Amino acid sequence: MPTSPTEADSSFDLAVIGAGPAGLAGAVTANELGLSVALLDASPQPGGQFYRHPAPALGAARPEALHHDWPAFAALRDRLAAGTVRHLAEHHVWTVERLTGAEGGSRWRVHALTGAESERPVRIEARALLLATGAAERQLPFPGWTLPGVVSAGGAQAMLKSGLVLPGRRVVVAGSGPLLLAVAATLVAAGARVPLIVEASGYLEYARHPGVLAVSPGKLMEAAAHARTLLAHRVRPLTRHAITRVHGTSGESGAGTGVEAVTVSRLDRDWRPLPGGERRVACDAVAVGHGLVPQLDLATGLGCAVRRTADGAFALALDARQETSVPGVWAAGETGGVGGARLARVEGELAALAIVSRLRGLPPLRTARTRRLSRIRRRLRGFAEAMSAVHAPGPDWSRWLEDDTEVCRCEEVTAGCVRAAVDDLGARDPRSVKLLTRAGMGWCQGRICGAAVARLTGRPPAPDRRPLAAPVGLAALAALPPADDPPPAATADPISDPSTADTRPARSDTDRGDLP
């Protein structure tokens, strides 16, 4: 049963942030090897986004029907229930600070908010930290993307998995990446009509990576399963195309609201729309996403080094034992690069083994278990890198944007406003655009619009670094007890300069020894 820590037991060997596949695997493995573990997560149930499932009150008879590889999650959930992991559900972690002891060692203080309105501050301390914060969807704006009925691809899947509702009856699935196939297969299995899957990249590009495909039979079987489902419902993907406009009404005139149709345009290899390649497709909802990007707010706030992935996103630079550049902080799953649930579980287990070894003062050892996990990780990580390269956004996708297209939804800043800041006011980077237009100053703090604003300025996005990873009220800050430890000594910032952010190498086996 999820609980909150008390003053008597708020100190643990390990704090794991995120209860998705990576966090669950790390927490239960470390606990089974004797560590006291706190598992903090914002959701009421474990599983993360991948294993999101309905609340018991909805009475779903077969929640596993909408999931791939449900038995793996069920096994982790059972191990969590059987152990002594303190599962802190509905705890929103907003920052982590390092505490330096008298002997020079470090401890970690995790600050979170919980309660009905997320108003009650909670803090715990731990000797080690495992970040398993997952990923968020990359959203590329286009005309009409703010209309009711346009949802993210992962959002459509989440609506069905957790709420047992469909975003519409006739849903066009669009964007780029393998998530589109999974979303479309889930929707048609639940009774929706999917007239088209619109893929901006091309699946034939995977042929450029034959070695990766040859050692990834599980991924091929997963894709084949989705393909069989889609074929049975006569759903076909349309590659090298993108939605460049959504047609519908937003309700200002008092008429009915929602999506009525989309315009689908043919693209060149740089994702530039080709003249004469448009078609109109009727629908009442759109599920769109262009892949996933790691959620790194907590990690970059601690100063962890990052690397640039093949699709232009940033991921954590990790060594062979899943440790970040900050000693005592490990990471697993999508934080190190998007690669799926199985890779996340493997990395969570590897991180736990390394943490147990470190906290017990044992030298790194090679075992059959760690060698097997390392082989699986190398294979799955290789496929993840290939996937990232195949579905990387083309440089000219911003050609979709008309001047009246909202780029920053929170502050209602249009593409024309951003272009004017660049062309007329001399803005040459996203920060200058932000100061001139307020783009990125809203509720999401640039998490959704940051990539679009950067593209319109012609500069690559820099890794985010925010002092707060989640909204926190002044009342919660005022309720915090006074700090009883001096702040850590200042260290060099490995990510403040975007030109070096993706060049700092992860430590190798020779730096840290073999895996335990």
Side-chain angles (χ1 to χ4, degrees):
M1 177 68 69
T3 58
S4 294
T6 66
E7 291 299 324
D9 61 1
S10 60
S11 183
F12 300 84
D13 293 322
L14 172 64
V16 181
I17 302 177
L24 281 174
V28 299
T29 300
N31 184 240
E32 290 166 352
L33 293 174
L35 298 190
S36 60
V37 180
L39 175 62
L40 300 94
D41 191 69
S43 298
Q45 300 181 96
Q49 297 298 322
F50 191 88
Y51 292 116
R52 182 188 288 266
H53 52 284
L58 290 177
R62 296 176 58 245
E64 69 276 9
L66 297 174
H67 291 81
H68 172 73
D69 204 9
W70 179 266
F73 165 67
L76 288 174
R77 184 185 56 187
D78 293 344
R79 291 166 65 189
L80 178 68
T84 60
V85 173
R86 184 61 62 87
H87 177 207
L88 305 178
E90 298 185 289
H91 278 61
H92 301 260
V93 177
W94 57 272
T95 195
V96 178
E97 60 178 319
R98 180 170 55 186
L99 309 176
T100 303
E103 296 81 14
S106 292
R107 291 180 61 85
W108 305 98
R109 179 176 291 162
V110 180
H111 293 272
L113 296 173
T114 189
E117 300 282 338
S118 293
E119 79 288 353
R120 185 166 65 85
V122 172
R123 68 176 187 174
I124 68 167
E125 294 184 10
R127 299 167 60 198
L129 189 66
L130 173 57
L131 301 177
T133 48
E137 280 192 89
R138 177 192 284 115
Q139 291 295 325
L140 306 182
F142 50 87
W145 75 305
T146 58
L147 283 173
V150 180
V151 300
S152 68
Q157 198 173 44
M159 290 171 64
L160 186 55
K161 287 183 175 181
S162 63
L164 305 180
V165 295
L166 292 167
R169 302 304 304 176
R170 185 178 174 89
V171 188
V172 171
V173 178
S176 186
L179 178 63
L180 302 186
L181 297 179
V183 170
T186 302
L187 291 174
V188 297
R193 172 84 170 92
V194 177
L196 202 62
I197 300 174
V198 186
E199 166 62 64
S201 299
Y203 297 121
L204 293 179
E205 295 297 318
Y206 281 98
R208 297 176 179 269
H209 309 275
V212 170
L213 294 178
V215 297
S216 304
K219 292 293 184 180
L220 296 178
M221 292 175 62
E222 184 179 344
H226 293 321
R228 284 195 300 271
T229 300
L230 297 173
L231 183 62
H233 291 84
R234 298 182 180 179
V235 180
R236 66 183 184 89
L238 185 65
T239 60
R240 296 292 178 192
H241 283 73
I243 291 178
T244 52
R245 176 173 289 278
V246 178
H247 307 275
T249 55
S250 57
E252 290 87 349
S253 63
T257 63
V259 174
E260 298 171 357
V262 296
T263 293
V264 178
S265 300
R266 188 162 57 93
L267 306 178
D268 66 12
R269 287 191 169 272
D270 291 330
W271 288 25
R272 182 188 294 113
L274 296 173
E278 301 88 8
R279 68 174 70 182
R280 185 176 174 120
V281 180
C283 59
D284 62 4
V286 178
V288 60
H290 292 85
L292 303 173
V293 292
Q295 295 201 102
L296 305 180
D297 289 354
L298 291 173
T300 54
L302 290 170
C304 299
V306 301
R307 65 181 181 89
R308 194 184 294 273
T309 60
D311 62 354
F314 288 98
L316 292 180
L318 305 173
D319 68 10
R321 305 176 72 216
Q322 299 296 133
E323 193 170 9
T324 71
S325 63
V326 176
V329 179
W330 284 260
E334 314 292 47
T335 52
V338 175
R342 190 185 181 202
L343 176 59
R345 296 194 302 269
V346 167
E347 291 188 340
E349 186 174 347
L350 275 172
L353 295 173
I355 292 168
V356 171
S357 176
R358 177 73 59 80
L359 294 187
R360 289 180 175 171
L362 300 175
L365 300 173
R366 292 187 66 87
T367 65
R369 182 180 185 181
T370 55
R371 286 195 295 269
R372 176 182 61 83
L373 292 171
S374 297
R375 286 195 300 269
I376 297 173
R377 180 183 56 182
R378 283 193 295 271
R379 185 173 72 245
L380 295 178
R381 186 54 73 188
F383 182 87
E385 293 296 326
M387 180 181 67
S388 178
V390 168
H391 296 286
D396 288 337
W397 67 263
S398 60
R399 299 291 186 94
W400 309 342
L401 305 179
E402 300 174 359
D403 280 346
D404 61 352
T405 304
E406 283 188 4
V407 172
C408 173
R409 301 178 66 163
C410 299
E411 296 293 323
E412 299 181 343
V413 180
T414 64
C417 186
V418 175
R419 287 167 175 152
V422 173
D423 298 336
D424 302 334
L425 302 179
R428 290 295 178 265
D429 58 76
R431 183 177 183 276
S432 299
V433 170
K434 180 178 182 178
L435 295 174
L436 291 169
T437 68
R438 293 192 57 83
M441 289 190 179
W443 185 258
C444 84
Q445 288 291 289
R447 291 175 175 85
I448 294 177
C449 65
V453 172
R455 171 52 57 190
L456 289 171
T457 64
R459 294 284 298 275
D464 293 326
R465 184 163 188 177
R466 301 179 177 90
L468 306 178
V472 55
L474 291 177
L477 292 175
L480 290 174
D484 53 5
D485 294 281
T491 57
D493 180 359
I495 62 168
S496 59
D497 182 1
S499 66
T500 62
D502 58 333
T503 60
R504 180 170 177 166
R507 288 169 290 187
S508 66
D509 288 341
T510 57
D511 298 324
R512 299 297 307 275
D514 291 332
L515 290 169

